[in-house]
Every structure is written in structure tokens, then in C-alpha cells.
Amino acid sequence: MRPTGTMGRTTGYLVADYLHQQANRARRAVPVPEAVWKAIVDHHHPRDTQRLAESAQTWGEHRFAEALYRQAADRGDIYAGMQLGKLLLAAGRIEELRTRADAGDLGANSELVNLLAREGNLAELRARSHAGDPVAARLLVAQLLQRGRVEEALSHLQRWADAGDETAARYIRKVLTEQDRFQELSTLADDGDVNAAFALAELLVKYCRIEELRTRADSGDRYAAHTLAKFLVQQGEVGELRTRADTGDSEAGSVLAGLLAGQGDVDEALAILSGLADAGDQEAACQLADLLAEHGEVGKATAILRPLTDTGFHGAWHRLANLLAEHGDVEGGMAVLLAQPHAGGALANASGVADVLAREGRLDDLRTLADAGSLPAAERLGNLLAQLGHVEELRARADRGGSPAAWQLNALLARSGLLDELRARANAGDSAAAWHLDSALARQNQAVEDDASDQVTAFLPPWRKIDGDHSPHA
């Protein structure tokens, strides 16, 4: 042993390094007595339950791991419910798992429906889906698609889409695209589904059905026209692209202008876009403003964008706001955003304004835009609050449903080792907290493996180094 402290005063002892290493190696080979595990199960702080359960599982003490996971799961810990479910599955106790799932244990339910999917038990998956279980519903559709039962899968998805589930609507388009269902996609596109129109156009290119693409483009399908124009560029058919542009295809003109500008022929690109803008193409007018601003003609760009905002064109608001802010008129940019905050998704696309406010540390203005619904402003605000250590405001914003604030708060909790609050937030349904908790636990477990030590040793502490006037632990 080596004494520590100042001259003439011993404040503690440090174990010699070789003894410390030998003790660690010896202890790792010694199992924890059953009586100790029993005491730990019955007498520990709730915040340690998860860690102790993992330690018991590592040691192969599945009986005690189950008891500890059960305690945490009964308090609403979803991760613990999943781990308990895995232990029940390994033991063949399926009915007990089903009972817990039916009683509302989300972790147990996740393990159960995944088991049903692995076993191909479509009947029970269907029953649980009809009862409102979203996990069972997703797995049911996946199983049906794997079995080639596309129509049945689509019927389930359509029912959910008709009930307002946009995720199901996106999934339908995905399935139709993967299954090369041209007619259904065409019907959706003709009914005004923009995403279906894009998907159909891309599918026509994929299968080289270019004449059909031309037909749709010539009949006024703007998404088909844009896809056709890009295809012509890829094929080097610039002549046809020019012909289409000259005959009034604004999408061809827009793509041609972008091509020319990229090749350094800015004047011709500006001429094409000016012609389209003069003909009333507002998208081309915005593209013209972008190109002018890119080449230093900020005044001309703003002169184009302001009248467009007056007419309510969706693409002009965020462009004008960002342009003003990025060139020194932050107040002007803010005024544009707040005058018509949701016009054309202005707040959602206010990255330029948000970046300037963040660089200048203008927290109050970021708060104003974030509270008005601007995601870029909310993200920059969350970053700044985390950097400044304003945890309470982050917590308050996260609790009000602010996802950027929640992400920053949970990242801060993970970095600070505050896993109890992180776990509580995850159990309350915060998906960002669940992600950060999983990452933190993975890092923690890796650190344990790297150190080759077990987690229960917090309750059976070895000699460890001490500093200053702290007393040694025995």
C-alpha cells in the first residue's frame, strides 16, 4: 500500500498497481453469491434496476435478471419489457408473454408480435392489427408482401390511408412502384397525387417507356415533363431539349437553363429564364432570382421576388427572406417570414435566416421563429441552448413537443450520464430519448467489455485510487 496526502499527514491509501490488476482479474472469475443477488433484487434504488438486470444477465443469473427486468417493466420501462420478453421467449413461456402484451406492456407486445411474424402466424397478426396494434399492422403487411399477397397487403394499407394515415399512403405508393403497377400509379397521378406522378415518371424512365413519358409531358403533366427533360440531359439529347424549350415546355427551359449556367453560359441561361418569367412562369422567375443572386445581382433578385410574394406565390417567400438576411437585412427577412409565416412553407425553408440569427446569437429572434413553427430556427435554437447550457429551457421546449429541443436535450442528458431522466423520457414516448438511451447503453456496455469488468461491482467495490482528502473505500 502507498500512503497519500501531504508531508506529515496521511489522508488515505492507494493500492499498488500490480495488486489492483490482480484483484480485478481474480474478482472477475468469482461469481456473485446467490444471497447477494437476492439482496440486490429486494434492496436497490429503482434507478439502478436496469443496470443490475443487465449485469445479472451477463453473469448468467437469468432468474434474477428476470426479476429485475420485471420490476422495471412493471414501472413502464419499455426496454425492460422487451428484455423480459426475450427471457420469457427463451424459456418457452409464450402465454405469460401474451398476457403481459395484452395488459399493455409495450415491450412485451413488441417481442410477441415479432415472434408471430417469425412464425408466420398471420391470423393472430391480423387480429391484433384489427384491434389497433400498429406494430402488428406493419408486420402483417410486411409478411403479406413477402408471401406475394400484394392485393391483401394493399387492401390493409388502403383502409389505413382512408382513415387519414399518411404513412400508409406513402407505403401504398412504394408498393405500387416496387410492383411496377403503372396503371394504379397513373390513376393516383391523374387524381392529383404529386408523389405518385413523380414515381410514375421515374418508373417510365426505368423501363425505357419514353414515348409514354412524352405523352404525359405533352398532355400537361409537369412532373413527367421535368423527368423527361432530365432524361434528355443524361442522354446528351440537348437538341431535343432545346426544341421542347423553344416550343413552350417550361420544364425543358428550366432544365436547359440550369445546364447552361453550370457550363458557364450564364447570359443564355438568364435569357431563357427571363423569357419564361415574362410569360408568367413563376417557378422560372424564382430560378432566375436564384441565378441573379448567385452572381451578385441581389437587387435585381429581390426586385423579382417581392412582386411574387405580393401575389402569394409559394416559392418566393423563403427565397426573399433568406436573401435579405444573408445580405445584411435580418429585420427585413424576419418581417417577410412573419407577415405570411406559412406562405409556401416559408418558415419551414427559412434556413438562411436561421443561420444568420444563430451566428449572431440572436436567441430572442430564434425563439420567435421557432414558436411560429420554423423547424430550421428551432434546430438552431436547440443547438445554441445546448451550447450555453440552458437545460431548463431545452427541457420546457422538449416537453411542449419541440423535436429539435428534445433531440438536443436528450443528447445533453446522454453526454452528462443522466440516464435516469433519459430513460424516463423514452418510456414516456420520446423517440429521440430512446435512440440516445440505446446509444448510451451500448457505449456503456462496450466500456464494460473493454475494461473486462462487471456492472454489479458497484455494489461490491474494490480498492480504487483516491485523490486529495477523500477517504479510501474498502
Side-chain angles (χ1 to χ4, degrees):
M1 306 296 288
R2 295 186 287 109
T4 64
T6 59
M7 184 177 295
R9 182 181 176 207
T10 299
T11 59
Y13 293 89
L14 293 175
V15 68
D17 287 345
Y18 74 92
L19 290 176
H20 180 256
Q21 294 165 5
Q22 176 61 29
N24 272 346
R25 283 195 295 269
R27 281 195 44 212
R28 285 197 296 273
V30 178
V32 178
E34 181 174 319
V36 174
W37 280 117
K38 287 181 178 178
I40 288 172
V41 169
D42 294 335
H43 306 286
H44 67 272
H45 195 285
R47 68 168 174 250
D48 295 318
T49 307
Q50 181 76 42
R51 184 167 58 87
L52 289 167
E54 292 168 353
S55 180
Q57 198 165 6
T58 299
W59 279 89
E61 297 285 356
H62 298 301
R63 176 164 54 106
F64 298 112
E66 178 185 327
L68 289 160
Y69 279 132
R70 190 181 301 276
Q71 290 179 16
D74 289 345
R75 293 196 297 267
D77 188 318
I78 297 174
Y79 176 80
M82 293 173 66
Q83 297 307 308
L84 174 59
K86 287 180 170 61
L87 290 176
L88 293 176
L89 281 177
R93 292 151 63 185
I94 310 303
E95 287 309 312
E96 185 176 350
L97 178 65
R98 184 176 280 107
T99 298
R100 290 192 67 86
D102 292 342
D105 185 329
L106 297 180
N109 185 70
S110 175
E111 294 301 314
L112 176 62
V113 294
N114 274 282
L115 171 67
L116 296 174
R118 289 194 300 272
E119 293 180 341
N121 190 339
L122 298 186
E124 189 167 351
L125 279 176
R126 190 178 290 107
R128 288 184 170 275
S129 172
H130 289 164
D133 183 338
V135 182
R138 289 194 295 271
L139 289 174
L140 172 62
V141 168
Q143 288 292 310
L144 290 171
L145 290 173
Q146 286 177 15
R147 286 161 171 73
R149 295 161 65 172
V150 179
E151 299 305 325
E152 186 179 351
L154 286 172
S155 70
H156 285 288
L157 289 169
Q158 191 62 58
R159 186 173 67 254
W160 303 326
D162 291 342
D165 187 336
E166 179 56 32
T167 300
R170 288 197 297 271
Y171 205 168
I172 288 174
R173 291 191 294 269
K174 180 175 183 291
V175 172
L176 292 176
T177 302
E178 290 175 347
Q179 297 289 322
D180 302 334
R181 306 278 282 263
F182 288 91
Q183 188 56 53
E184 288 94 333
L185 281 173
S186 180
T187 300
L188 289 174
D190 293 342
D191 288 341
D193 188 324
V194 172
N195 293 305
F198 267 122
L200 175 61
E202 293 290 343
L203 203 58
L204 291 171
V205 170
K206 177 181 176 181
Y207 285 95
C208 298
R209 294 165 64 166
I210 307 305
E211 287 308 313
E212 290 181 53
L213 187 63
R214 282 195 179 92
T215 299
R216 291 193 67 86
D218 293 340
S219 66
D221 184 333
R222 189 161 190 168
Y223 309 104
H226 187 79
T227 303
L228 175 60
K230 291 195 300 180
F231 173 77
L232 293 174
V233 171
Q234 292 167 0
Q235 298 298 309
E237 299 288 347
V238 180
E240 183 179 347
L241 185 65
R242 281 186 179 277
T243 299
R244 294 190 68 86
D246 292 342
T247 55
D249 184 336
S250 61
E251 292 300 318
S254 174
V255 170
L256 177 60
L259 176 66
L260 293 170
Q263 294 174 344
D265 195 349
V266 178
D267 289 339
E268 186 177 358
L270 290 171
I272 291 172
L273 292 172
S274 294
L276 292 172
D278 291 343
D281 188 327
Q282 294 174 312
E283 289 282 3
C286 284
Q287 187 179 351
L288 174 62
D290 289 341
L291 188 57
L292 287 168
E294 183 182 334
H295 288 83
E297 298 285 355
V298 177
K300 290 181 180 179
T302 55
I304 291 171
L305 292 172
R306 282 194 187 280
L308 291 175
T309 62
D310 293 339
T311 62
F313 180 63
H314 67 89
W317 291 91
H318 69 272
R319 282 183 166 88
L320 179 58
N322 289 331
L323 190 60
L324 291 172
E326 289 165 354
H327 290 84
D329 188 2
V330 181
E331 283 70 22
M334 289 279 294
V336 169
L337 291 176
L338 297 175
Q340 293 287 339
H342 299 291
L347 285 172
N349 293 288
S351 298
V353 179
D355 286 340
V356 174
L357 294 175
R359 283 198 303 270
E360 296 181 1
R362 295 171 61 159
L363 284 173
D364 286 340
D365 287 335
L366 282 172
R367 289 185 182 104
T368 297
L369 291 183
D371 291 342
S374 173
L375 181 59
E379 290 172 344
R380 279 39 161 211
L381 176 61
N383 290 336
L384 272 182
L385 292 174
Q387 291 171 19
L388 297 171
H390 293 184
V391 180
E392 289 307 317
E393 183 175 352
L394 270 178
R395 186 177 285 114
R397 287 183 171 276
D399 291 343
R400 292 202 301 269
S403 56
W407 183 267
Q408 291 297 333
L409 171 64
N410 293 320
L412 190 59
L413 293 174
R415 288 195 302 272
S416 304
L418 300 175
L419 300 191
D420 294 333
E421 182 176 352
L422 199 58
R423 184 174 286 112
R425 299 188 70 85
N427 289 334
D430 186 332
S431 59
W435 187 91
H436 283 289
L437 178 62
D438 286 345
S439 299
L441 290 173
R443 288 192 300 271
Q444 192 178 74
N445 290 338
Q446 184 60 51
V448 169
E449 291 174 9
D450 291 344
D451 194 44
S453 60
D454 64 279
Q455 294 184 341
V456 77
T457 53
F459 291 83
L460 304 169
W463 286 94
R464 52 193 175 92
K465 292 184 179 181
I466 58 174
D467 297 311
D469 294 334
H470 292 80
S471 300
H473 296 269

